[in-house]
Amino acid sequence: MSFRVQKAAAASFQRLVRFVNAQGSTKFGDLKTRPTGVSLAGAEVEVLEGDVGNGFRGTGKIDKIQKLLCPLPQVHAIMCIGLNYQKHATEANLRVAPYPVLFTKPADALAGPNEDIPVHPDAQSMLDYEGELTVVVGKDAKNVPEPDALKYVLGYTVGNDISARYFQLPETSGGQFCYAKSFDKFCPIGPCIVSPGLIPDPQKLQLVTKVNGQVRQQTETSDMIFSVAKIISHLSRGRTLRRGTVIQTGTPSGVGLFMEPKGFLKNGDVVEVSIDGLGSISNKMVFE
């Protein structure tokens, strides 16, 4: 096995946003202050040139956010980790395997931090939320040792691994995860991608998920079974983890499936996920 130790993924920004300005143009920007609220409308940013593949550079020009968009216009892959919080494994009464549970979402699952989420009729009966710390890979990685893994992080953001639990049931789909979580826009992220320089330890972040203002999930990422570094190292073992890949790192306890009575989402419900230093996303479920 061989690997190359590279420099840290270049993040020439503090908080990367993608937005529409008052003139209707779509731009990348660097938000210099911690995000407050869920829309960021009216916030000032430095306009950036570039993209995830080629890097960003500041222009010195200031603009205002009229409408906040998903920070990534597209994605190479969305990789997701299941059963990665100890308290969640306990509430689910499931044994933790030696390696992380891995499933994927298609590119069309990507959605913005304030977008409505359309829900197909067959996905409505057991619709659930999963607030998650989300990682964006900043450069290609292969066979990365754990001590070097965080050097490959472009930044961190907030995510929600929306799940149609009906299609996770063993009697329905054999207990597999992928299909249940792969509907269009079932992966909202945002509001920005925060530079690793502002997040010295991704295992010391507070995560809160609310449904219609009621707290459902509240934990610190220290409860993760597999750390961000372990996840990146594992995902790059013998295979290339491409830059721009989104990694959802698992959800803590408090999902609707294990509430009594069940806390499944209904038409019009608003799910807000917040993580210290990263901001909040807020998405309304819209049944089709």
Side-chain angles (χ1 to χ4, degrees):
M1 180 184 296
S2 63
F3 59 83
R4 293 178 296 168
V5 177
Q6 304 181 37
K7 294 180 181 180
S12 53
F13 56 81
Q14 294 182 37
R15 301 170 185 88
L16 177 69
V17 297
R18 195 167 67 94
F19 67 100
V20 177
N21 67 8
Q23 290 71 45
S25 298
T26 299
K27 298 177 179 290
F28 284 106
D30 187 6
L31 181 68
K32 302 296 186 181
T33 58
R34 288 177 62 140
T36 58
V38 294
S39 73
L40 299 184
E44 290 190 343
V45 297
E46 180 186 5
V47 175
L48 299 176
E49 292 182 346
D51 54 42
V52 172
N54 298 299
F56 294 94
R57 68 176 185 86
T59 64
K61 300 176 182 178
I62 302 300
D63 207 339
K64 284 188 177 182
I65 297 173
Q66 180 81 8
K67 179 183 179 182
L68 189 66
L69 303 175
C70 180
L72 298 173
Q74 56 194 21
V75 66
H76 175 78
I78 302 171
M79 297 188 177
C80 308
I81 304 300
L83 206 68
N84 193 32
Y85 279 76
Q86 187 59 59
K87 292 177 182 177
H88 180 47
T90 300
E91 75 173 356
N93 194 28
L94 291 172
R95 180 183 65 86
V96 176
Y99 296 102
V101 173
L102 174 64
F103 59 94
T104 62
K105 288 175 178 269
D108 286 329
L110 197 67
N114 304 306
E115 277 194 75
D116 289 350
I117 308 300
V119 184
H120 186 276
D122 292 343
Q124 294 171 6
S125 64
M126 301 176 68
L127 187 68
D128 212 347
Y129 52 86
E130 292 193 0
E132 307 206 6
L133 171 64
T134 301
V135 179
V136 180
V137 177
K139 58 183 179 178
D140 292 354
K142 186 174 182 179
N143 296 327
V144 176
E146 186 180 330
D148 294 323
L150 295 186
K151 297 177 183 178
Y152 291 79
V153 174
L154 177 72
Y156 302 97
T157 191
V158 182
N160 184 356
D161 176 18
I162 300 171
S163 305
R165 299 291 188 200
Y166 173 76
F167 290 106
Q168 278 186 259
L169 299 175
E171 60 268 30
T172 304
S173 299
Q176 58 87 24
F177 289 5
C178 187
Y179 187 85
K181 296 160 176 283
S182 292
F183 291 83
D184 286 357
K185 298 192 182 299
F186 268 30
C187 183
I189 65 170
C192 53
I193 298 171
V194 178
S195 166
L198 299 178
I199 307 295
D201 188 350
Q203 306 309 141
K204 293 183 178 179
L205 300 174
Q206 190 76 19
L207 181 153
V208 176
T209 302
K210 298 178 181 179
V211 177
N212 300 329
Q214 177 191 39
V215 174
R216 295 284 188 91
Q217 296 179 294
Q218 188 167 13
T219 193
E220 191 174 88
T221 52
S222 58
D223 190 46
M224 278 187 187
I225 297 165
F226 303 100
S227 67
V228 172
K230 286 181 182 293
I231 291 169
I232 292 173
S233 180
H234 177 65
L235 295 183
S236 70
R237 181 185 289 109
R239 49 192 234 162
T240 303
L241 192 61
R242 295 292 182 189
R243 63 187 176 188
T245 296
V246 168
I247 303 173
Q248 293 200 308
T249 61
T251 199
S253 58
V255 296
L257 177 63
F258 299 113
M259 293 176 63
E260 291 298 340
K262 303 301 183 188
F264 295 129
L265 300 173
K266 302 180 296 297
N267 184 37
D269 281 354
V270 175
V271 182
E272 182 178 340
V273 184
S274 303
I275 300 179
D276 282 349
L278 304 184
S280 302
I281 63 174
S282 179
N283 303 94
K284 183 170 70 172
M285 306 299 119
V286 178
F287 285 11
E288 297 179 326

